[in-house]
Amino acid sequence: MLLVDHGQALLVPFAVSEPPVRIEGSVAGRAFRQVEVQEISAPGGRRLWLPLLDGVDRLGVLGVTFSELDELTRLRAERFAALLAEILLSKSTYGDSLVQTARLRPMTLAAEMQWSLMPPLTVGSERVVVSGFVQPSYEVGGDIFDYALGEGVAHVAIFDAMGHGLEAALLASVAVGAYRNARRRPLPLRPTVDLIEGALAAQFGGGRFVTAIVTQLDLGSGRLQWINAGHPPPLLLREGRVVKQLARPPNAPLGVGLNDTLNVHEEALEPGDRLVLYSDGVVEAIDAASGERFGVDRLVDFIARAEAAGEAVPETMRRLGHAVVKHQGDELQDDATQVLLEWTGGEMQQLLE
């Protein structure tokens, strides 16, 4: 059993002393990337590499070798992998062994706090898929995203807290806690963001702030509502190209008490539309040799190429995260987070096609 590490570059063996396996360039990695069973020859028979999934969120892969392999055995192996994934999730909160396996080096306290708040990187339903990626995985401090799928509605938000390290993590923690508290009451969009604003101001006295985009998507109609609080505007992709940057008049960042009335914006999505949310660390990542920023154009081109190649949303986010880090010489100067929301308007099977 191989579990994906926090940086999503390696698959790490669980409970055995073997070296990690790179996701790129390995059969096990191909099963992870493509979310498809891979079959190869192995000593004594045939080996299956099977994805371990929490819904559509990828946990790792399972390798099983059989002396004889027929269709019934393949079916049983796939069911066993699904059952194993359920067991892993149900028991993971009772100990640290799974978390420790997924870590290849020590994590900062700020990152520990962020990951404890972070939802699974990917979630999907019949009409929507949401996937995000956060870098640097072991040192992230101020960036975080959150989501919830409800009855006919999807809630998605991204936050970028002022500063770095533990102080930024505390800001982000209050923002996400307030967001969940308001969402679960439940409150409409504008009162939700008002509550986040008030919580931050009360806790930090107006001297610290968080930028954010908080969205709400009607899963039946594709009606998107959002509030932008001093954050880079979302990008709307349709058929592999950007049809618009949702650059409406933003509100002030949250926590400084400057938002007397929050502007709520709306957009009608079409089936297959993709909404890209990102922090400034993504587009402002600088190549030290050339001085070029990663930029919005490169971000859009990367996602459009992945869509044209038929790549699944989670794999696009994973590869994009690594591309941003590589652009800045494998050492980010700021947190870089991206979230992709796709309204499918179709069936669940479309999410992994």
Side-chain angles (χ1 to χ4, degrees):
M1 183 170 69
L2 308 179
L3 301 179
V4 63
D5 83 295
H6 276 287
Q8 295 218 342
L10 299 169
L11 295 169
V12 188
F14 178 71
V16 293
S17 298
E18 294 181 3
V21 176
R22 293 197 64 81
I23 292 176
E24 305 294 342
S26 67
V27 178
R30 186 162 66 243
F32 179 85
R33 295 193 313 272
Q34 299 179 0
V35 197
E36 293 178 351
V37 179
Q38 302 295 317
E39 180 179 340
I40 59 173
S41 297
R46 304 287 293 176
R47 165 162 288 198
L48 296 181
W49 284 108
L50 304 112
L52 295 173
L53 301 173
D54 170 22
V56 292
D57 190 39
R58 302 172 296 177
L59 308 177
V61 295
L62 177 69
V64 189
T65 302
F66 300 91
S67 57
E68 296 182 5
L69 188 57
D70 55 24
E71 290 306 314
L72 179 59
T73 304
R74 289 187 181 88
L75 177 61
R76 287 173 172 168
E78 291 179 18
R79 290 180 175 176
F80 177 74
L83 177 61
L84 179 59
E86 292 292 333
I87 293 173
L88 287 175
L89 288 171
S90 67
K91 302 301 181 184
S92 62
T93 57
Y94 297 103
D96 292 329
S97 58
L98 294 177
V99 173
Q100 289 171 329
T101 297
R103 294 186 185 181
L104 300 179
R105 55 191 173 90
M107 183 173 284
T108 65
L109 176 56
E112 189 79 54
M113 294 172 61
Q114 295 295 80
W115 279 106
S116 68
L117 280 175
M118 207 91 69
L121 294 180
T122 303
V123 66
S125 72
E126 293 82 0
R127 295 199 176 273
V128 68
V129 59
V130 179
S131 188
F133 197 70
V134 179
Q135 290 277 42
S137 301
Y138 292 87
E139 294 91 19
V140 64
D143 279 15
I144 196 168
F145 69 91
D146 195 32
Y147 60 74
L149 301 190
E151 186 65 33
V153 64
H155 305 271
V156 181
I158 184 171
F159 301 93
D160 184 355
M162 173 184 175
H164 301 281
L166 187 57
E167 189 173 33
L170 290 170
L171 273 165
S173 297
V174 172
V176 170
Y179 176 51
R180 291 176 179 173
N181 181 253
R183 198 179 65 211
R184 292 166 181 170
R185 291 191 180 191
L187 294 179
L189 189 58
R190 183 180 282 117
T192 291
V193 180
D194 278 334
L195 192 148
I196 300 170
E197 169 97 77
L200 290 169
Q203 186 65 36
F204 299 99
R208 314 290 293 175
F209 65 83
V210 174
T211 70
I213 292 180
V214 184
T215 75
Q216 184 172 296
L217 174 65
D218 185 292
L219 298 179
S221 66
R223 176 172 171 260
L224 175 74
Q225 294 182 295
W226 80 94
I227 290 175
N228 185 341
H231 202 83
L235 301 171
L236 179 59
L237 279 72
R238 182 172 295 153
E239 297 180 354
R241 62 185 181 86
V242 175
V243 293
K244 63 178 69 176
Q245 188 178 52
L246 302 184
R248 311 292 170 75
N251 303 279
L254 303 178
V256 293
L258 297 178
N259 290 309
D260 294 329
T261 302
L262 290 164
N263 299 316
V264 180
H265 308 294
E266 294 190 10
E267 184 74 26
L269 302 189
E270 297 182 5
D273 278 359
R274 292 180 166 189
L275 186 74
V276 182
L277 312 178
Y278 59 93
S279 65
D280 55 9
V282 174
V283 295
E284 293 179 3
I286 298 176
D287 184 324
S290 66
E292 291 184 0
R293 296 181 185 274
F294 192 81
V296 173
D297 290 344
R298 189 178 274 107
L299 169 66
V300 170
D301 182 66
F302 191 100
I303 295 174
R305 287 176 180 270
E307 182 177 358
E311 194 168 79
V313 170
E315 182 61 15
T316 299
M317 291 293 95
R318 186 190 73 84
R319 290 182 55 248
L320 175 59
H322 288 294
V324 173
V325 174
K326 183 178 180 180
H327 183 81
Q328 196 157 318
D330 295 326
E331 188 170 347
L332 288 174
Q333 303 303 312
D334 191 10
D335 295 345
T337 299
Q338 62 270 348
V339 180
L340 196 155
L341 180 156
E342 180 178 8
W343 183 58
T344 65
E347 298 300 326
M348 184 67 180
Q349 63 190 31
Q350 293 177 324
L351 303 181
L352 297 178
E353 291 181 351

